[in-house]
Amino acid sequence: ERVMTQSPATLSVSPGDRATLSCRASQSVSSNLAWYQQKPGQAPRLLIYGASTRATGIPARFSGSGSGTEFTLTISSLQSEDFAVYYCQQYDTRPGTFGQGTKLEIK
Amino acid sequence: EVQLLESGGGLVQPGGSLRLSCAASGFTFSNYAMSWVRQAPGKGLEWVSAISGSGGSTYYADSVKGRFTISRDNSKNTLYLQMNSLRAEDTAVYYCAKGYYTSSSLSWFDPWGQGSLVTVSS
């Protein structure tokens, strides 16, 4: 099973600043990686798939990069609605596994 | 608009059974693999089970294998999760989610339903 490790667990950033979230896979997952955003009481929402392709309707301030074992989600200029928990997910090898999440909070 | 609506959650005693349903609309249901993903209170996401578009292939996490059964009725655009021998550790919000491919369970998920809470407690 591929273990996905996200860092940091909590990230405090000011509105308007850039946020960089990391996700590391225990073995290569190629580019088979997705990112999700989850707000309290809501279902996860797909942001990125294929490591770097934005899902439909996702603002351009969200970008993904990486391949193999190291991945990054960057939010270029944080808006108030971006403060949430973010999860990465590998879908390269069964079972598809998620990281434990990074909570992005207002500084 | 693609929509997924779960139902069937509730309180059940340890060892009991429950069946979740997920009604799909806005897309050709039989063309897509579907999955169940759960989230224990205050915890992260855990993939539970998946089924191919035809229903001919099913996949399970080790934690539920032999206890849960995934199925679908393409004539009713509905996904199911039959949960037997429930344990306290199965307590979670259960989400159904649409995959991108027809046959493979390996996919990103978009969209997700709103979730259905299952509580296993005496």
Side-chain angles (χ1 to χ4, degrees):
Chain A
E1 176 177 309
R2 302 284 194 269
V3 176
M4 308 303 292
T5 303
Q6 292 185 240
S7 61
T10 303
L11 182 61
S12 299
V13 183
S14 300
D17 286 354
R18 174 188 298 255
T20 303
L21 289 67
S22 296
C23 176
R24 174 177 292 178
S26 59
Q27 299 177 66
S28 176
V29 298
S30 186
S31 294
N32 297 313
L33 185 107
W35 289 95
Y36 301 88
Q37 176 193 68
Q38 187 179 34
K39 297 179 180 179
Q42 296 185 16
R45 178 176 71 144
L46 176 70
L47 299 175
I48 301 283
Y49 62 92
S52 61
T53 302
R54 275 191 305 278
T56 302
I58 301 303
R61 64 180 182 272
F62 290 91
S63 63
S65 63
S67 66
T69 62
E70 300 284 344
F71 301 88
T72 300
L73 175 69
T74 301
I75 311 171
S76 60
S77 178
L78 279 163
Q79 307 296 304
S80 57
E81 61 266 29
D82 299 335
F83 292 95
V85 179
Y86 292 82
Y87 294 95
C88 62
Q89 175 223 356
Q90 70 82 16
Y91 50 91
D92 184 76
T93 305
R94 289 191 191 94
T97 44
F98 294 86
Q100 81 280 13
T102 290
K103 182 179 181 180
L104 183 57
E105 63 177 29
I106 300 174
K107 186 174 182 180
Chain B
E1 180 189 5
V2 175
Q3 288 193 322
L4 301 170
L5 185 63
E6 299 96 336
S7 60
L11 175 64
V12 60
Q13 291 187 340
S17 297
L18 210 57
R19 188 177 84 156
L20 302 180
S21 299
C22 171
S25 61
F27 64 103
T28 304
F29 184 64
S30 60
N31 283 357
Y32 296 93
M34 297 291 294
S35 284
W36 290 97
V37 179
R38 68 184 179 183
Q39 185 170 37
K43 302 298 184 181
L45 301 167
E46 179 189 17
W47 172 81
V48 172
S49 183
I51 187 168
S52 62
S54 67
S57 298
T58 57
Y59 310 89
Y60 299 94
D62 287 346
S63 58
V64 306
K65 199 172 296 182
R67 301 188 298 123
F68 289 12
T69 301
I70 191 171
S71 62
R72 64 193 296 161
D73 185 336
N74 286 344
S75 68
K76 295 182 178 179
N77 290 349
T78 303
L79 175 72
Y80 303 100
L81 186 67
Q82 177 67 44
M83 302 183 292
N84 298 332
S85 303
L86 282 161
R87 307 166 179 167
E89 55 265 35
D90 295 318
T91 294
V93 174
Y94 285 73
Y95 297 100
C96 65
K98 173 181 168 287
Y100 183 76
Y101 302 105
T102 301
S103 298
S104 176
S105 66
L106 288 171
S107 171
W108 60 93
F109 302 126
D110 182 42
W112 300 52
Q114 88 290 349
S116 184
L117 176 62
V118 173
T119 303
V120 184
S121 175
S122 55

